[in-house]
Amino acid sequence: MADPISLSSGVVALMTFTLQSSVVLYKAIDSYRSHPKNVRDLKDELEALAGVLQALSETAEKHKEIDLTALKLPLLRCGKACHEFEEALAKCSSRSGGLKTSFRDWAKLKYMGDGIDEFRRMLAGYKATIVIALAHANLQQSSLTIESLDKYKSMIQDTTTDLEDHLQNVDDKLKSTFLQAADRSNEDAVLVRQMQEERSSTQQCLVICAQLSAYISQIQPTLAANGARRSADARAAGVAAVAEQITADGLEGCKDALGIASKRLEEHLISIVDRLMATSKKTLSSPEETANLDILHSEWQTARLCIDLCSKANESVMKINLNVFENLKGEAEVLQFFASTTGRVVHAKDIFLGAKGVQFGGQLSDATVQQICRDFSPSARMAAMGSETEMITPAADGTGTSQFLDRYGRGFKLIPKPAQDDKGISPGQQGEQAKKTG
Ligand SMILES: *[C@@H]1O[C@H](CO)[C@@H](O)[C@H](O)[C@H]1NC(C)=O
């Protein structure tokens, strides 16, 4: 390679590097004759990775405004890992005679101390992180359905679990390398052990901060909902929902403080690991040992970053609230809306109308909603002086007069659908219903 690729390279250059490395590794594996199951699985994974990288390049090309710098480290690590694995394969094969036609010692092939399956899972983790980050960047533009959102959520969940397992594995190896190095040195032994302990504690403290912060995020919406429910009544009675507001402020303050603590812990962790790396390298004798430690270190950093990317994607996906209305049963005379005033997707399914109920669905303006609420309020009904039936049923056939006539026009009669319960409307009829009333 002419230009050594590094984190200071551009995202596009890194994508190209990673794609090339994965293709080169694929071809290298393919050039051997024997392909046991786990090797075929690895080939499939490499193919899928190449597909994702291709899609990533195309998206980056089309949407230059999308910021993908967070993917630089995973891309670099992934590309390097493919390259290093290819070298390990060449070495392993030359030890067993160097003949590609007769090589069968796949079980002896090790990378980072593990076998082919572990390497494949590592690649799968990179691939999933790229997919999640890409979807995250696209989230606002893409047209989401409930189904795709659910799929995306469970993908984030699964990927996080896998990445955490992988991080644990790498972390254990890092720890044992540090401690081995400590054993070999007289002067640094105690210091390395203490630093290793400090590293573990720092990681634990980070987990505590993250857990507490997640718990706060979890209760915040409930609190806000309580406040909103109370405030309408409370305002009418001249009291605002003060208790909820005080608590909400306090919780937000806690989250900020936890964020600051986490940031300081991160910095502390990085400096401890840097010192551990430097001290351990002094006692490692062979360049191979040093290289292996460097690989573990970058893999440790990358896995943590990937988990962080997933967590951020998770946070924003949890914030998307599609307006979902399902399986609603209208009370006899209730006024129902399954609508959005903000242009959000409205998803309506299995909605039933009560005997004298009124429903409005779809996209409505805020003013329309308010006007409808006024018109259908109990006092408006009283003022109309007529029977409720007259209020609710528009003068569809042109006979009789009602308040509807001035406000909404005459309306028209819906064509009855035989399969339909005449008390209910299906989502497919929302449009007609809206036309009738709005
Ligand atoms: C995603 O967010 C939800 C709600 O805050 C949380 O329960 C879940 O553990 C998170 N999942 C991941 C993978 O971070």
Side-chain angles (χ1 to χ4, degrees), residues 131-343:
V131 170
I132 288 168
L134 195 55
H136 185 198
N138 270 323
L139 222 46
Q140 305 316 320
Q141 285 108 308
S142 59
S143 55
L144 282 167
T145 63
I146 306 285
E147 287 73 21
S148 69
L149 201 63
D150 280 347
K151 241 165 98 184
Y152 182 50
K153 277 185 200 165
S154 56
M155 181 179 187
I156 294 177
Q157 202 63 50
D158 293 346
T159 306
T160 304
T161 309
D162 292 350
L163 286 168
E164 278 169 350
D165 287 348
H166 175 59
L167 178 61
Q168 188 61 52
N169 178 18
V170 173
D171 201 82
D172 290 346
K173 288 196 165 82
L174 206 51
K175 180 179 168 184
S176 81
T177 313
F178 288 150
L179 293 181
Q180 266 171 30
D183 286 343
R184 284 193 226 161
S185 134
N186 295 324
E187 46 193 303
D188 294 330
V190 177
L191 178 67
V192 168
R193 284 183 185 283
Q194 284 168 347
M195 283 197 293
Q196 173 52 39
E197 259 172 42
E198 181 64 17
R199 183 173 82 98
S200 298
S201 315
T202 311
Q203 285 177 186
Q204 252 154 29
C205 290
L206 275 165
V207 171
I208 293 172
C209 289
Q211 281 173 342
L212 189 49
S213 191
Y215 179 64
I216 294 174
S217 304
Q218 200 186 319
I219 55 178
Q220 271 174 330
T222 320
L223 187 72
N226 285 351
R229 193 161 53 239
R230 267 169 39 83
S231 60
D233 304 338
R235 231 181 282 128
V239 227
V242 178
E244 282 85 356
Q245 193 50 53
I246 293 173
T247 315
D249 290 349
L251 290 181
E252 204 50 51
C254 283
K255 259 172 86 172
D256 289 347
L258 286 168
I260 293 167
S262 297
K263 199 157 167 280
R264 287 177 55 198
L265 284 166
E266 280 291 339
E267 285 162 8
H268 179 58
L269 181 61
I270 287 168
S271 83
I272 290 266
V273 171
D274 285 349
R275 281 176 66 195
L276 271 166
M277 286 293 293
T279 317
S280 304
K281 274 186 184 175
K282 278 197 296 186
T283 65
L284 294 174
S285 41
S286 74
E288 197 181 336
E289 278 180 323
T290 313
N292 283 343
L293 181 58
D294 277 332
I295 289 177
L296 280 177
H297 184 212
S298 13
E299 195 52 42
W300 178 79
Q301 290 171 310
T302 314
R304 296 181 76 241
L305 183 100
C306 289
I307 292 172
D308 192 47
L309 279 176
C310 287
S311 152
K312 287 199 178 110
N314 188 50
E315 242 169 64
S316 38
V317 89
M318 289 296 168
K319 278 193 200 130
I320 296 182
N321 76 49
L322 299 174
N323 296 7
V324 181
F325 304 90
E326 270 185 13
N327 203 13
L328 294 178
K329 299 216 172 9
E331 297 298 324
E333 292 175 13
V334 83
L335 169 63
Q336 283 184 331
F337 291 97
F338 39 97
S340 168
T341 58
T342 56

Side-chain angles (χ1 to χ4, degrees), residues 69-83:
T69 44
L71 282 176
K72 276 170 112 179
L73 182 59
L75 283 169
L76 180 66
R77 248 325 281 156
C78 182
K80 282 196 166 173
C82 286
H83 184 64

Side-chain angles (χ1 to χ4, degrees), residues 26-153:
Y26 182 94
K27 285 184 181 157
I29 293 172
D30 209 31
S31 68
Y32 291 86
R33 185 175 286 171
S34 118
H35 290 137
K37 173 80 172 89
N38 60 352
V39 176
R40 294 199 303 274
D41 289 346
L42 175 59
K43 278 175 64 188
D44 289 346
E45 189 57 54
L46 281 165
E47 232 173 335
L49 174 67
V52 164
L53 288 166
Q54 199 77 50
L56 180 67
S57 297
E58 279 161 20
T59 307
E61 182 67 32
K62 242 195 274 168
H63 303 279
K64 294 217 163 47
E65 72 283 2
I66 297 182
D67 180 15
L68 294 167
T69 44
L71 282 176
K72 276 170 112 179
L73 182 59
L75 283 169
L76 180 66
R77 248 325 281 156
C78 182
K80 282 196 166 173
C82 286
H83 184 64
E84 289 155 0
F85 192 84
E86 184 210 334
E87 285 178 345
L89 172 59
K91 231 183 251 172
C92 183
S93 138
S94 75
R95 272 199 298 266
S96 21
L99 274 179
K100 292 190 168 183
T101 45
S102 61
F103 176 74
R104 280 187 172 65
D105 286 340
W106 293 100
K108 286 191 188 154
L109 179 53
K110 295 278 181 235
Y111 179 69
M112 282 171 50
D114 291 313
I116 293 173
D117 284 331
E118 195 62 42
F119 178 71
R120 176 181 52 76
R121 277 196 285 273
M122 192 173 106
L123 290 187
Y126 289 130
K127 183 191 69 186
T129 305
I130 293 169
V131 170
I132 288 168
L134 195 55
H136 185 198
N138 270 323
L139 222 46
Q140 305 316 320
Q141 285 108 308
S142 59
S143 55
L144 282 167
T145 63
I146 306 285
E147 287 73 21
S148 69
L149 201 63
D150 280 347
K151 241 165 98 184
Y152 182 50
K153 277 185 200 165

